[in-house]
Amino acid sequence: MRRPIIAGNWKLNKTIPEAIELVNGLKRNLYKIENVDTIVCPPFTALSSIAEIILSSNIKLGAQDLFWEEKGAFTGEVSGPMLKDAGCSFVIIGHSERRQYFAETNETVNKKLKAALKAGLTPIVCVGEKLAERESGKTFDVVKDHVVSGFKEIGDADARKCIIAYEPVWAIGTGKTATPEQAQEVHEFIRNLFSKLYSSQTASLIRIQYGGSVTPENIAALMAKPDLDGALVGGASLKPDSFSELIKKTSEVKAK
Ligand code: 13P
């Protein structure tokens, strides 16, 4: 059985003191949860402070992006080894906001994916269609392209280490969640795609998160679907109570 995984993508939010307060709240609320992997992805500036706080907890640390080179003259960038050094074990790659505002492409996603794996980080690879693409019936084509191009030259053993986050762009920050049925349909498609690209065993092992306006109110119905293995959460991950509630509900649904 796949272990559920809920990650909080804090995006461009939280000073160091605010980040510490949030994580201390999560630690208090979540110390009893044993069947869900909980990840927080603060901004780069707060990573090492949070790494120290979560040492004695069941919370793990992720970054929101990385650069593919390890070091050199690349002003403003942060590499995989640097993230490891700061205490990260996960890294988000190819988020739609990176694709939209920072010109990320499937090619840069592929380079970053290779760099993350080389550094020993677990990549959370984001895929998902825009509203116009969904409305014109291109959802599966876009998702397939994101997966196939993103995973170019990635071997079976490495593919198994990755997490996929299906985040329909029209559902991000809009309050308009995909229905559990819409999400399940795409998750199943992604799992079948991994079966074709790799093997049925890899497909059955790989964890696929849903992201896009996930809240404590809608998480249970989403997590009840068989191919939804967790969530990548933006807004609702910024408060200890709402993020903890999401994780507790996931723990209950997935324990059944
Ligand atoms: P929201 O949960 O705020 O819609 O953001 C989703 C997201 O982009 C997570 O990466």
Side-chain angles (χ1 to χ4, degrees), residues 9 11 95 97 167 171-174 211-214 232-236:
N9 175 8
K11 307 189 180 182
H95 191 280
E97 287 150 17
E167 297 208 306
I172 295 177
T174 57
S213 299
V214 174
L232 183 55
V233 186

Side-chain angles (χ1 to χ4, degrees), residues 48 101 106 123 142:
S48 53
Y101 304 124
N106 289 333
V142 171

Side-chain angles (χ1 to χ4, degrees), residues 125-140:
V125 182
C126 301
V127 303
E129 81 287 0
K130 298 186 190 118
L131 183 61
E133 291 164 340
R134 173 161 283 265
E135 286 176 342
S136 57
K138 295 202 187 107
T139 298
F140 294 124

